[in-house]
Amino acid sequence: MSFINYSSREINCKIVYYGPGLCGKTTNLQYIYKKTNPDSKGKMISLATETERTLFFDFLPLALGEIRGFKTRFHLYTVPGQVFYDASRKLILKGVDGVVFVADSQIERMEANIESMENLRLNLAEQGYNLDAVPFIIQYNKRDLPNVVPLDELKKSLNPKGLLDFEAVATDGTGVFDTLKSIAKLVIMELKKGQEGG
Amino acid sequence: MSWLLYRNEEMLMLGSDLVMYDEEFKQIDTELNRLLAQANAKVVFVVDKNGQLIAATGETENLDTTSLASLTAGNIAATGGMAKLLGEKEFSILFHEGQRDNIHISIISQRVILVVIFDQRSSLGLVRLRVKKSAEVLSGIFGQLLKKVETGKGPGKAADSPFAEITDEDIDKLFG
């Protein structure tokens, strides 16, 4: 749910990075944090365990500039990927404006990808959203690893509808900003549509 | 979820974008300032349940209010999840006690979160008392805001909307 403040002329939107455990959601945010001008980012907050596994969420506020005189801010969140943190994942999806699904391209994580995608659909539905109607981008991460599933197979399993998707290597930043830009664009376009509609 | 769309029991459920107009923003700001003074607090702010900061006042210069807002909402969400498991509707007040500063968090009309940060110059009793009064006032303002948005009487619908003529180029420019 975006927040449009006509008083301070600001637009705030919420984007959630979703995906199975260890797929690279936090790494996406860390790369964005590292590469963003200090003036346009807030502190990155990671609620993680001692072994750096996300416990509740990571949070990164980004101020991107102005659209038609309105300061535009994106609040990026990740969910904890591990299966047993489902209750937390549901909470973080509340009020989401756009979702990035980060898939782990490794063969042995295919099942986890599919399970997480189903979990996303289910948890969104519980919050009253339809995954097919929410701004949504898929990122195939870890493309640099040797044991990856071929792209067309990934697409077939995870993106049968042919939505916008990107290959990525979040550790070196490949595809990270392409993903972010695309989801930001989809979210803003969706806002525009919503405003026109009512 | 979010703000408008459907009514359920006596409360307004949340269902679309949160919109803030100048008039209500000023009213909220006035009420927060009054609460700040009356409760002898350091900082007072309101956040929506999804973690967006709505307004803040007090000693905020060296405070990361954006992160605080997000964590507050996370805190309320987690506590709300616990309440649900226990069959409670919600836990409407949270209190965190520190060595120097304390945080009092309360839910207003089930949709926004009021946060008061205070130190030894105030007390939990005083904060609770003043929060209760302010909660009523703020609840009224947010009710009025929702009504405005629902009936489409606020400024900035159609023509005034920042989205009305937005182009791909505008969005590309955001990323330099």
Side-chain angles (χ1 to χ4, degrees):
Chain A
M1 184 197 70
S2 62
F3 175 23
I4 304 163
N5 191 333
Y6 285 94
S7 181
S8 55
R9 301 188 77 76
E10 286 177 8
I11 307 165
N12 290 317
C13 305
K14 177 173 179 177
I15 293 172
V16 173
Y17 283 69
Y18 211 92
L22 294 174
C23 69
K25 302 173 287 293
T26 302
T27 312
N28 260 271
L29 257 64
Q30 281 168 339
Y31 187 81
I32 294 165
Y33 182 75
K34 206 167 74 188
K35 292 290 171 186
T36 308
N37 182 338
D39 297 339
S40 48
K41 68 187 174 195
K43 221 186 262 168
M44 178 166 165
I45 300 245
S46 286
L47 302 179
T49 65
E50 282 177 8
T51 51
E52 292 190 8
R53 301 297 306 269
T54 303
L55 180 64
F56 195 6
F57 58 78
D58 304 303
F59 170 67
L60 174 59
L62 275 187
L64 284 184
E66 292 195 355
I67 291 188
R68 309 266 148 178
F70 276 71
K71 278 177 244 156
T72 310
R73 292 209 179 91
F74 285 90
H75 290 177
L76 311 184
Y77 285 83
T78 66
V79 297
Q82 294 176 86
V83 176
F84 58 91
Y85 287 133
D86 201 38
S88 303
R89 272 194 295 279
K90 283 179 198 173
L91 299 175
I92 293 150
L93 282 176
K94 278 186 185 176
V96 68
D97 291 303
V99 180
V100 173
F101 184 87
V102 182
D104 189 329
S105 295
Q106 299 175 92
I107 293 166
E108 64 268 28
R109 296 300 285 163
M110 261 330 268
E111 210 173 306
N113 287 329
I114 293 166
E115 195 183 324
S116 177
M117 185 71 91
E118 278 167 10
N119 177 257
L120 168 63
R121 183 174 289 279
L122 215 69
N123 283 345
L124 275 176
E126 243 179 69
Q127 309 290 340
Y129 297 97
N130 176 357
L131 179 58
D132 299 326
V134 172
F136 184 46
I137 300 268
I138 300 168
Q139 181 191 81
Y140 312 109
N141 193 21
K142 308 196 186 181
R143 296 307 293 166
D144 58 329
L145 296 184
N147 54 338
V148 296
V149 178
L151 190 62
D152 46 331
E153 252 179 70
L154 275 168
K155 281 177 185 268
K156 216 161 84 187
S157 306
L158 298 172
N159 190 11
K161 294 207 172 96
L163 302 170
L164 204 52
D165 52 11
F166 294 94
E167 291 184 85
V169 182
T171 45
D172 70 14
T174 309
V176 168
F177 274 95
D178 293 333
T179 308
L180 176 64
K181 273 183 206 177
S182 303
I183 191 67
K185 206 175 225 180
L186 285 186
V187 165
I188 293 171
M189 284 308 175
E190 186 66 26
L191 277 177
K192 183 183 175 185
K193 223 161 70 186
Q195 293 263 312
E196 282 167 352
Chain B
M1 284 185 41
S2 32
W3 281 67
L4 341 166
L5 293 192
Y6 45 98
R7 280 173 195 277
N8 187 3
E9 295 164 15
E10 76 282 358
M11 68 180 250
L12 280 158
M13 289 290 288
L14 310 169
S16 93
D17 300 328
L18 165 56
V19 177
M20 176 64 67
Y21 299 118
D22 218 21
E23 187 187 351
E24 285 75 17
F25 189 75
K26 280 181 184 144
Q27 290 174 357
I28 291 167
D29 195 51
T30 306
E31 185 54 34
L32 294 191
N33 274 304
R34 185 162 61 197
L35 176 59
L36 183 80
Q38 290 191 339
N40 258 345
K42 281 174 82 174
V43 178
V44 176
F45 60 94
V46 269
V47 185
D48 90 301
K49 274 193 163 180
N50 302 317
Q52 314 271 18
L53 182 69
I54 298 172
T57 187
E59 302 165 24
T60 54
E61 308 81 35
N62 297 315
L63 205 61
D64 182 355
T65 45
T66 309
S67 299
L68 261 178
S70 161
L71 290 171
T72 303
N75 199 338
I76 283 287
T79 315
M82 284 157 58
K84 230 175 170 181
L85 291 176
L86 293 179
E88 281 285 335
K89 202 165 167 190
E90 66 182 12
F91 292 119
S92 54
I93 294 177
L94 309 181
F95 176 60
H96 303 301
E97 189 176 287
Q99 280 194 334
R100 198 184 60 234
D101 291 330
N102 313 296
I103 305 186
H104 183 281
I105 302 173
S106 51
I107 304 175
I108 297 175
S109 310
Q110 291 167 308
R111 54 180 179 245
V112 286
I113 305 165
L114 174 63
V115 182
V116 180
I117 302 176
F118 64 97
D119 57 17
Q120 79 286 350
R121 287 172 289 177
S122 185
S123 68
L124 179 58
L126 178 66
V127 169
R128 282 193 76 154
L129 180 75
R130 301 301 189 199
V131 159
K132 210 172 166 189
K133 273 193 163 177
S134 284
E136 281 171 28
V137 177
L138 290 170
S139 180
I141 300 170
F142 280 105
Q144 170 190 322
L145 180 66
L146 278 169
K147 223 166 157 190
K148 210 184 223 179
V149 177
E150 261 184 343
T151 52
K153 278 188 184 151
K157 271 279 146 181
D160 211 19
S161 161
F163 306 106
E165 286 169 21
I166 214 166
T167 59
D168 274 14
E169 206 177 278
D170 287 328
I171 301 172
D172 285 334
K173 263 194 237 155
L174 282 179
F175 291 90

